[in-house]
Amino acid sequence: DLFSSTFQRGGRHEKIMTLKESLNQLGFGEIKVTTYYGDFTEKRVKDFQKYYGLTVTGKADLDTLDKIEELKSTPFQRGKRHEDTIQLKKDLNRLGFGNIKVTPLYGSFTETRVKDFQRYYGLTVTGVADSRTLDKIAEILSTPFQRGKRHEDTIQLKKDLNRLGFGNIKVTPLYGSFTETRVKDFQRYYGLTVTGIADSRTLDKIDEILSSPLQKGKRHEDTIQLKENLNQLGFDGIKVTTYYGDFTEKRVEEFQQAYELPVSGIADEVTLATIDELLQSREEVTYTNYRYTLEEALDIQMNQLQQTDMYRNAPAYVHSAYIQLTSSNNGKTTSRLNVRAEPNNTSHIYGTLNEGASVTILEKGNTWYKIQYNTWRNPTRSDVRYYLDPSNNDRFQHLVLTASAGVPASELNTVLKGKGVLEGLGQAFIDGGKEHSVNEIYLISHALLETGHGTSTLAKGVEVGKDQNGHLVLVHSTNRDNVTDIKTTYNMFGIGAVDSNPLRGGAFRAYNEGWFTPEAAIKGGAKFIASSYIHNQYKQNTLYKMRWNPANPGYPQYATDIAWAVKQVTQIKNMYSLLNNPMLRFNIPNYK
């Protein structure tokens, strides 16, 4: 008959053209539409039969033709209307293939989103919501790995996510809202469709990463290149072999933390891509958009205390009516009084004097006195605007202080040469910086400032012990015999060195922290600086952000001097100039 003799390889018939058109339409295509049933047609028929669970013969038998007709008559295809299309659209929207208007019409956009779904899950791409597509949708929507459901396997899923750096998930069988959030984070990070449902693609990706050879305890030839690359980027000291040991994992974790990647210690595809990108270019400039305009940020800043030393030697004036003379050139204020830039009531206000403040008069006029005013002064609005505007800044104000300079200890030791007790401690700054994600050059700059270039008493070591009551005391020749638990303490960043007694405060803090070697003081100080200055909810990880905090202008900010960030740049920039091809990462604000 027709089916046994014609709808198979070698047959010819007009109806074979219709068969080919149908197969092309259903995604089993690229078949040239002729009356001849050739090898390629046979192959596509086999693909169709295998896909829909039919007996695979390559012959277009009745079961095959019936299945083709069933698919062509489904209401789930472009141009048709059906009430069940409403639920299909809702399901696709739920599964991240969305923005579909929910109506009974199966339009061109619905067809496109069905194709996207089919392509994503490895189905034949037809745009027709066939049984395989509907079954896949039902499978995903019925999975226990979605919010509100409980399942024992959720425990392992949570452990895996925690392991891969998408963590802090409480390990229970409940798939709650936080688990959904972390699954979304994982999906977004690896370019999967973001649904919060741990579907087959998500689970496969988790398994792929967890089975990577680039993780602790495994051996692989690619580990050699990974180690060489990390050593080159300053995450160094790794012995180059095929074995991925504890120290390699530690260095990978440090790299991931420094570049704000999920910290797993596994060299996944994103980690490797980031390494490659950095090796290709040792300089990176990124921009961050903020919700304020420059003028809005300036308005907020002008309501905060702003100070400048720009006008330290400029003339300053007060109204004579509010000065009670105590001698020919001295007086006291009789009320709170503005200090003006010029002898009139409309000029810029440098500051204020409280009632009863002593005043040294330099020149007397009929209405205004020129006075001695050797103090920080209020800047003008245009002064503040100049320093606030990123386009006026040296780019080193925008150096990312959470990223390593990527140079070996020998390079840093060049910078530290002749710097007292700090000389030769480049590796300690690298280790402290990596452990707490702080740029090692910034740490050195901070330490040089606080220790007087490595020569301060706190830097060189202060003995501290405990008296008979167990209280900490500074050790000296007259009390040494009565003091126990004597340790030499080191403090490289002036931490705890209060103004009232900086030596005592700084040494006691070092004792309590266990800073009994210069290296320990550097690493411990790095932790303090990281938590106190850089790593907060506003990510104030540049000098500019420390001073101006564009994410939340006004608070917190680490200085009132409008030129503070500018003044910090010089030493950091000079140190970078001594390094051989360092990594430079800049992040510049974009005001709205």
Side-chain angles (χ1 to χ4, degrees), residues 37-54:
Y37 198 115
D39 291 344
F40 188 66
T41 303
E42 180 184 59
K43 180 182 182 303
R44 298 310 263 152
V45 169
K46 284 182 176 180
D47 293 340
F48 180 87
Q49 291 167 332
K50 183 178 180 181
Y51 186 74
Y52 286 105
L54 305 174

Side-chain angles (χ1 to χ4, degrees), residues 445-462:
S445 176
H446 205 313
L448 292 175
L449 176 67
E450 293 292 342
T451 64
H453 290 253
T455 63
S456 71
T457 303
L458 281 173
K460 291 189 289 186
V462 177

Side-chain angles (χ1 to χ4, degrees), residues 3-16:
F3 299 106
S4 61
S5 63
T6 307
F7 278 57
Q8 59 180 300
R9 182 159 50 100
R12 282 188 183 275
H13 197 278
E14 289 297 320
K15 290 190 176 181
I16 290 174

Side-chain angles (χ1 to χ4, degrees), residues 143-145 149-156 172-175:
T143 179
F145 298 133
K149 295 195 175 184
R150 289 183 179 272
H151 197 277
E152 287 304 310
D153 291 346
T154 300
I155 291 174
Q156 188 60 50
T172 69
L174 175 64
Y175 197 112

Side-chain angles (χ1 to χ4, degrees), residues 205-223:
K205 191 65 183 179
I206 290 172
D207 290 342
E208 174 195 322
I209 301 167
L210 290 174
S211 62
S212 167
L214 299 179
Q215 61 180 299
K216 187 172 74 171
K218 296 195 176 184
R219 288 186 181 275
H220 197 274
E221 288 300 314
D222 291 348
T223 302

Side-chain angles (χ1 to χ4, degrees), residues 395-413:
R395 65 178 184 160
F396 272 83
Q397 280 194 50
H398 306 292
L399 182 73
V400 177
L401 301 179
T402 53
S404 170
V407 296
S410 58
E411 293 272 325
L412 296 189
N413 288 335

Side-chain angles (χ1 to χ4, degrees), residues 264-278:
S264 66
I266 299 172
D268 65 342
E269 64 196 62
V270 180
T271 301
L272 294 175
T274 304
I275 290 171
D276 288 342
E277 181 182 339
L278 291 169

